[in-house]
C-alpha cells in the first residue's frame, strides 16, 4: 500500500477508503487471525491463497553456497524427498472450505501446515519443538521448499488449524487429512510402480491419553467438575455435604476409603449428582455446560432411575436465579421403573423409596464414558487385560518384488469396534483405487456380512487363523467332500447324495445318502453324515462349510509360503505406533485419527526415502 496512491487503488476519497479499510480490519478481526499471518499485501485478496512461492528459485541462498559433497547429501536427504513426494503433492484447493469467502489477509500456506503436522509425527516433536524447527531447523525448511530463514509462525497456528479440521469434519463428515493420505498413496503407487494386488491387514489397540478411573472415581470426577464450573455464590447455596465435596482436592477415593466405606460413598455421590441434575436442568447457563452433560451421561450409563416422586415446588428458584438448598427432589425416570405406590419398590436403610439404583458392573456398556478428559475413549477387555482408548486398522502391500511396502489404508475407531466392521470401510475403495485382489488377515476379521462384501468387490480373503475351537483331528471335515457351491458332488468316500436341499434364506444345506453306501463305510463313526432309520443324512449352515474350506486351505503346505507374508503385519504396527509408546498423546477420536494419518504418511515417506537411497547405492530395498 505504501507504494501506491490510495485514491488510485480504491477510486474513492480518503474518507471512503478509510471506511473500506476499517471494514477489512473488522473482517480480519472476526476471522481466526492466528491462521493468517501479518503481511503488507492489500486487503483486496481472498483469505485463502495457494502457496506457489516454493517454485520460485532464490537468487542467493545457503544451498547454492554448499560444496559439492554436502550438496549431494542434501539431494538424497529425507527432507528433499519430503519436498518432492509429499509437500509438492498436497492439493491446497481441498482446504479452501476452511477459510472465509470474504476479503482479508491471506492464510498461512496450507501445504506448509499439513506438512508440519506430518513432520511433527515423523520426528516426534511437540508443538514447541515444531515451532523452533520451522524457524531454525534447515531440514524442516528444506522439506517445505524454503532455502532461507526469515519468516515466522504463531504457535497457535498449529492448534487452530487442527481445530478447524476437527470442526469441519464434525459438521460435514468430510475428512480432509484422509483425502491427503489417499492422494499421497495413489501418487506413490503410481510414481514407484507398486503392485498393491496383495495386501496384509492388522489392527492394534491405542491406549488413550487418560487415567483409568474406578467407578467411584469416575462419578466423583464428573460431579466435582460440574461443581467447579459453578460460581462460588451458587455453590454457597448448595447443601453442606455438596459444598464440602466441591472443595475436595484428592479424588482418588479408591485409595483413601476403607473397603466398607466405598459403596455408601458411591451411593451418596450418585444421589448428590442426581440432586444437582434435577436442580439445575432448568437453568440454561448451567445445563449447557460440558461438565453438566458429562454428569448426566455418567449417571445415565451407571444407574437406573427408579422412583418418580414429583414435587411441584422443587423446580422453583428463589427469584434471583439461585437454586434452593432443600431436600433432594425426585429424579424423573428415563427408563421403566416402579412408582412410589408400588409395594415392591426398592427402599434404603431408612425405609425411604430409592430414587436411583446403581447398575451391576456387567450391565454397563463398553462404550460408556471412561474418563471425562476423553469422552470418546471406550473400554475393551482382551486376554484378561483391560484397555481404554481406541483401535487402529492398517493395511500395506506385501509383494516382495515391490520397491518398498506401501501403507494403503489407516482407520481409527473406538477399541470396542469389531475388526470386520473396520475392514468394511475399505472394501469398496481399496480394489478400485489400489487394485487389491488378495487380502491376508487373521481370524479376528471373520465377519459374515463383510466377507460377502469382499466377494462382491473381487477381494479374496486369506485367513491365517480362525476364531473358535479346532475340530478333533479324527473327525472328517466338510471340506473332505467335493462341493460345487452348496451341492455335494461326492462324499469323502466318493458317493453322491440321492437327495439335496439348499434354503437360500437361512443358508441351510441338507441331504440324504443311500444306506447301502454308508453301512459298510469305515469312516461312518467320524463322518458328518448321521444314520437314520431308512437312510443317512446331513445338515448344517453354509457358513460352516466355508470355514471348513478355509481351514483346509490354511493347513495346505503349498499355501503356507503365501500365508506367511502376513507375519510382517506385526512389524508394521510397531513401526507406525509402538516405537514411541502405545499411549497416544491426544484425546478424542478425530484427533487420534488425524495423528495416525500423519504417522502413516510419514512412514510411507521414510520407506520411499530408504528405497531411493538404496537405489542410489546400488542396493535392493525390501519390498
Amino acid at each position: 500500500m505504501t507504494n501506491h496512491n490510495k485514491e488510485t487503488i480504491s477510486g474513492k476519497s480518503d474518507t471512503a477508503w478509510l471506511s473500506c479499510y476499517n471494514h477489512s480490519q473488522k473482517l480480519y478481526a472476526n476471522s481466526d487471525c492466528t491462521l493468517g499471518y501479518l503481511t503488507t499485501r492489500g486487503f483486496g485478496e481472498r483469505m485463502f491463497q495457494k502457496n506457489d512461492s516454493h517454485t520460485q528459485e532464490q537468487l542467493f541462498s545457503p544451498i547454492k553456497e554448499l560444496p559439492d559433497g554436502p550438496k549431494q547429501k542434501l539431494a538424497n536427504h529425507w527432507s528433499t524427498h519430503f519436498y518432492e513426494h509429499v509437500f509438492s503433492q498436497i492439493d491446497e484447493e481441498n482446504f479452501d472450505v476452511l477459510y472465509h469467502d470474504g476479503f482479508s489477509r491471506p492464510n498461512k500456506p496450507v501445504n506448509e501446515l499439513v506438512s508440519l503436522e506430518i513432520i511433527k509425527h515423523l520426528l516426534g516433536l511437540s508443538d514447541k519443538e515444531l515451532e523452533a524447527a520451522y524457524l531454525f531447523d534447515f531440514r524442516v525448511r528444506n522439506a517445505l521448499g524454503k532455502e532461507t530463514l526469515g519468516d515466522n509462525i504463531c504457535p497457535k497456528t498449529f492448534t487452530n488449524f487442527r481445530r478447524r479440521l476437527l470442526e469441519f469434519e464434525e459438521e460435514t463428515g468430510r475428512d480432509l487429512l484422509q483425502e491427503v493420505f489417499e492422494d499421497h498413496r495413489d501418487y506413490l503407487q503410481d510414481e514407484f510402480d507398486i503392485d498393491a494386488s496383495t495386501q496384509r491387514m492388522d489392527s492394534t489397540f491405542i491406549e488413550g491419553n487418560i487415567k483409568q478411573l474406578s467407578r467411584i472415581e469416575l462419578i466423583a470426577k464428573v460431579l466435582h467438575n460440574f461443581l467447579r464450573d459453578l460460581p462460588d455464590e451458587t455453590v454457597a447455596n448448595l447443601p453442606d455435604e455438596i459444598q464440602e465435596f466441591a472443595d475436595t482436592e484428592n479424588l482418588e477415593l479408591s485409595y483413601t476409603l476403607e473397603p466398607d466405606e466405598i459403596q455408601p460413598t458411591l451411593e451418596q455421590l450418585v444421589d448428590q449428582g442426581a440432586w444437582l441434575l434435577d436442580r439445575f436442568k432448568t437453568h440454561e447457563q448451567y445445563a449447557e455446560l460440558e461438565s453438566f452433560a458429562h454428569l448426566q451421561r455418567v449417571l445415565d450409563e451407571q444407574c437406573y432411575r427408579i422412583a418418580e416422586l414429583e414435587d411441584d415446588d422443587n423446580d422453583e428458584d428463589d427469584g434471583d436465579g439461585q437454586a434452593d438448598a432443600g431436600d433432594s427432589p425426585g429424579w424423573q425416570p428415563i427408563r421403566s421403573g416402579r412408582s412410589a405406590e408400588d409395594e415392591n419398590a426398592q427402599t434404603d436403610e431408612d425405609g425411604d423409596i430409592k430414587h436411583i439404583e446403581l447398575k451391576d458392573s456387567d450391565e454397563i456398556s463398553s462404550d460408556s464414558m471412561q474418563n471425562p478428559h476423553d469422552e470418546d475413549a471406550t473400554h475393551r477387555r482382551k486376554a484378561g487385560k483391560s484397555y481404554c482408548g481406541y483401535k487402529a486398522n492398517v493395511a500395506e502391500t506385501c509383494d516382495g518384488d515391490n520397491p518398498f511396502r506401501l501403507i494403503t489404508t489407516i482407520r481409527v475407531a473406538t477399541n470396542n469396534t469389531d475388526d470386520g466392521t473396520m475392514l468394511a470401510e475399505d472394501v469398496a475403495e481399496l480394489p478400485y483405487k489400489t487394485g487389491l485382489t488378495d487380502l491376508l488377515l487373521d481370524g479376528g476379521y471373520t465377519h459374515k456380512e463383510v466377507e460377502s462384501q469382499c466377494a462382491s468387490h473381487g477381494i479374496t480373503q486369506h485367513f491365517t487363523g480362525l476364531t473358535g475351537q479346532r475340530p478333533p483331528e479324527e473327525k472328517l471335515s466338510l471340506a473332505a467332500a467335493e462341493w460345487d457351491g452348496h451341492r455335494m458332488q461326492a462324499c469323502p468316500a466318493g458317493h453322491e447324495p440321492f437327495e439335496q436341499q439348499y434354503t437360500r434364506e437361512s443358508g441351510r444345506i441338507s441331504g440324504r445318502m443311500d444306506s447301502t453306501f454308508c453301512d459298510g463305510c469305515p469312516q461312518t463313526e467320524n463322518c458328518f453324515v448321521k444314520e437314520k432309520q431308512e437312510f443317512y443324512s446331513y445338515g448344517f449352515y453354509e457358513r460352516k462349510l466355508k470355514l471348513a474350506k478355509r481351514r483346509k486351505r490354511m493347513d495346505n503346505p503349498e499355501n503356507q509360503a503365501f500365508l506367511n507374508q502376513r507375519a510382517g503385519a506385526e512389524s508394521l504396527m510397531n513401526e507406525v505406533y509402538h516405537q514411541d509408546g502405545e499411549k497416544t498423546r491426544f484425546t478424542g477420536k478425530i484427533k487420534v485419527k488425524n495423528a495416525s494419518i500423519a504417522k502413516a504418511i510419514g512412514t510411507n515417506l521414510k520407506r520411499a526415502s530408504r528405497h531411493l537411497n538404496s537405489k542410489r547405492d546400488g542396493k535392493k530395498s525390501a519390498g
Side-chain angles (χ1 to χ4, degrees):
M1 296 297 295
T2 57
N3 296 328
H4 301 277
N5 183 276
K6 291 181 291 187
E7 189 79 10
T8 304
I9 293 176
S10 63
K12 302 178 184 295
S13 65
D14 284 350
T15 303
W17 181 89
L18 182 61
S19 175
C20 289
Y21 178 78
N22 289 336
H23 177 65
S24 172
Q25 296 303 302
K26 189 176 295 184
L27 280 175
Y28 181 70
N30 291 333
S31 68
D32 188 350
C33 62
T34 58
L35 274 178
Y37 58 94
L38 295 179
T39 178
T40 56
R41 294 181 183 180
F43 60 85
E45 297 182 82
R46 293 194 63 240
M47 187 173 180
F48 175 80
Q49 294 287 325
K50 289 188 65 175
N51 172 33
D52 56 5
S53 61
H54 60 96
T55 62
Q56 302 171 6
E57 185 178 355
Q58 298 288 327
L59 184 59
F60 302 101
S61 74
I63 293 179
K64 292 182 171 59
E65 298 175 4
L66 288 174
D68 291 341
K71 188 178 295 185
Q72 183 62 36
K73 290 182 179 179
L74 180 62
N76 297 303
H77 194 261
W78 69 262
S79 60
T80 302
H81 298 153
F82 187 101
Y83 170 75
E84 180 180 355
H85 299 296
V86 179
F87 179 85
S88 299
Q89 306 304 322
I90 294 173
D91 186 357
E92 293 184 278
E93 293 286 356
N94 288 344
F95 293 82
D96 186 8
V97 292
L98 298 181
Y99 298 89
H100 296 285
D101 290 332
F103 294 97
S104 183
R105 290 182 173 89
N107 58 289
K108 191 69 176 173
V110 168
N111 50 10
E112 289 188 11
L113 293 176
V114 175
S115 295
L116 287 170
E117 190 69 13
I118 298 169
I119 291 172
K120 171 185 173 72
H121 297 282
L122 183 66
L123 302 181
L125 305 177
S126 65
D127 279 357
K128 187 175 181 180
E129 292 169 333
L130 185 62
E131 178 195 2
Y134 178 83
L135 296 176
F136 310 119
D137 192 329
F138 189 75
R139 299 174 303 170
V140 174
R141 307 287 295 180
N142 187 51
L144 304 181
K146 295 178 178 293
E147 298 182 31
T148 60
L149 303 178
D151 49 344
N152 197 6
I153 192 167
C154 176
K156 289 187 177 179
T157 301
F158 304 134
T159 55
N160 285 334
F161 182 65
R162 295 179 196 127
R163 176 181 55 79
R164 284 199 172 188
L165 288 174
L166 185 149
E167 291 175 351
F168 181 76
E169 184 174 348
E170 288 179 336
E171 292 172 3
T172 67
R174 184 179 171 190
D175 189 345
L176 295 178
L177 273 187
Q178 178 69 22
E179 293 178 12
V180 171
F181 169 80
E182 292 173 359
D183 289 344
H184 170 70
R185 174 203 62 196
D186 296 345
Y187 162 79
L188 289 181
Q189 185 178 356
D190 182 66
E191 179 74 10
F192 293 94
D193 194 22
I194 295 175
D195 181 1
S197 59
T198 302
Q199 300 180 28
R200 57 192 173 204
M201 180 175 284
D202 199 8
S203 64
T204 187
F205 289 135
I206 306 173
E207 187 177 350
N209 187 19
I210 55 176
K211 177 184 176 182
Q212 290 197 25
L213 300 177
S214 66
R215 192 177 192 181
I216 190 171
E217 289 171 343
L218 173 62
I219 296 175
K221 181 68 175 175
V222 294
L223 177 59
H224 182 76
N225 286 352
F226 177 60
L227 291 173
R228 187 182 58 190
D229 286 346
L230 294 177
D232 292 340
E233 59 271 19
T234 301
V235 175
N237 288 330
L238 299 178
D240 292 342
E241 63 271 17
I242 296 182
Q243 291 186 49
E244 293 176 2
F245 187 74
D247 296 330
T248 301
E249 294 183 2
N250 184 9
L251 297 178
E252 295 183 350
L253 302 179
S254 297
Y255 302 100
T256 59
L257 297 174
E258 296 295 330
D260 59 346
E261 295 177 322
I262 293 180
Q263 187 64 23
T265 304
L266 181 58
E267 294 176 356
Q268 179 186 5
L269 292 175
V270 165
D271 187 61
Q272 291 176 354
W275 189 92
L276 288 168
L277 288 178
D278 205 51
R279 176 59 64 195
F280 290 104
K281 65 184 179 183
T282 58
H283 297 265
E284 185 174 332
Q285 69 271 35
Y286 304 134
E288 292 184 352
L289 292 172
E290 183 181 51
S291 56
F292 184 91
H294 287 170
L295 180 59
Q296 175 77 66
R297 175 182 167 183
V298 167
L299 292 190
D300 283 347
E301 294 170 342
Q302 298 279 339
C303 310
Y304 292 114
R305 302 181 184 184
I306 299 177
E308 181 177 359
L309 302 176
E310 297 186 6
D311 185 346
D312 294 336
D313 295 330
N314 282 329
D315 290 336
E316 297 180 0
D317 58 40
D318 59 7
D320 62 356
Q322 301 297 330
D324 293 333
D327 295 334
S328 174
W331 194 18
Q332 303 303 314
I334 58 173
R335 304 177 182 84
S336 59
R338 300 185 178 95
S339 66
E341 293 76 18
D342 191 338
E343 60 181 7
N344 295 319
Q346 299 183 28
T347 59
D348 59 21
E349 294 178 354
D350 298 327
D352 297 328
I353 296 176
K354 290 185 178 181
H355 298 182
I356 185 170
E357 179 73 12
L358 287 163
K359 292 181 181 180
D360 293 334
S361 57
D362 58 358
E363 295 180 289
I364 301 172
S365 172
S366 64
D367 60 1
S368 62
M369 183 183 291
Q370 305 300 309
N371 190 315
H373 186 59
D374 187 349
E375 56 186 283
D376 292 339
T378 57
H379 179 265
R380 173 76 178 269
R381 191 167 182 84
K382 184 176 181 180
K385 185 178 179 181
S386 294
Y387 299 87
C388 286
Y390 302 90
K391 176 193 281 188
N393 194 59
V394 192
E396 67 173 358
T397 61
C398 55
D399 190 324
D401 292 331
N402 283 327
F404 59 89
R405 292 173 288 120
L406 177 69
I407 297 176
T408 57
T409 184
I410 186 162
R411 302 285 181 181
V412 171
T414 53
N415 67 6
N416 60 349
T417 305
D418 183 73
D419 285 347
T421 302
M422 300 184 74
L423 167 59
E425 298 185 55
D426 295 303
V427 167
E429 193 258 353
L430 285 181
Y432 172 68
K433 286 294 186 68
T434 69
L436 170 65
T437 58
D438 295 274
L439 184 60
L440 294 158
L441 308 154
D442 65 19
Y445 290 88
T446 52
H447 193 288
K448 184 177 180 180
E449 289 74 18
V450 178
E451 289 173 25
S452 177
Q453 294 178 38
C454 286
S456 65
H457 286 87
I459 301 175
T460 301
Q461 294 174 286
H462 303 273
F463 292 90
T464 58
L466 295 176
T467 56
Q469 190 173 5
R470 176 181 283 271
E473 292 291 338
E474 65 273 10
K475 292 291 184 181
L476 280 177
S477 169
L478 292 174
E482 295 181 19
W483 296 90
D484 181 12
H486 53 265
R487 292 189 60 83
M488 185 194 295
Q489 293 181 315
C491 73
H495 304 295
E496 184 178 1
F498 68 84
E499 181 180 314
Q500 297 191 60
Q501 186 176 359
Y502 171 67
T503 306
R504 186 176 301 277
E505 291 76 15
S506 64
R508 180 76 175 174
I509 297 173
S510 59
R512 296 178 177 181
M513 303 290 297
D514 196 313
S515 298
T516 57
F517 298 141
C518 299
D519 281 341
C521 181
Q523 296 290 347
T524 300
E525 185 177 347
N526 295 319
C527 188
F528 53 83
V529 178
K530 302 302 178 185
E531 184 178 7
K532 302 296 182 181
Q533 287 186 349
E534 299 180 356
F535 51 81
Y536 285 72
S537 69
Y538 60 86
F540 47 84
Y541 289 102
E542 187 176 17
R543 180 159 183 79
K544 188 175 181 180
L545 175 60
K546 288 183 178 180
L547 292 176
K549 291 181 177 180
R550 191 170 294 161
R551 194 177 296 279
K552 181 180 179 180
R553 289 196 298 269
M554 285 172 46
D555 295 338
N556 187 348
E558 295 181 359
N559 292 332
Q560 286 304 309
F562 178 74
L563 296 177
N564 286 342
Q565 292 181 94
R566 191 188 171 275
E570 301 295 334
S571 63
L572 163 66
M573 292 304 177
N574 183 65
E575 184 177 5
V576 177
Y577 282 104
H578 303 319
Q579 287 183 341
D580 54 353
E582 296 185 3
K583 177 176 285 191
T584 179
R585 291 186 290 173
F586 306 93
T587 58
K589 177 184 171 183
I590 293 180
K591 291 180 182 178
V592 175
K593 181 262 301 174
N594 285 349
S596 296
I597 290 174
K599 286 183 178 182
I601 296 175
T603 301
N604 277 340
L605 184 277
K606 286 192 293 185
R607 292 174 173 181
S609 182
R610 285 197 297 263
H611 161 69
L612 291 171
N613 288 332
S614 297
K615 185 177 180 181
R616 178 203 64 196
D617 297 335
K619 301 176 182 178
K620 182 179 180 181
S621 59

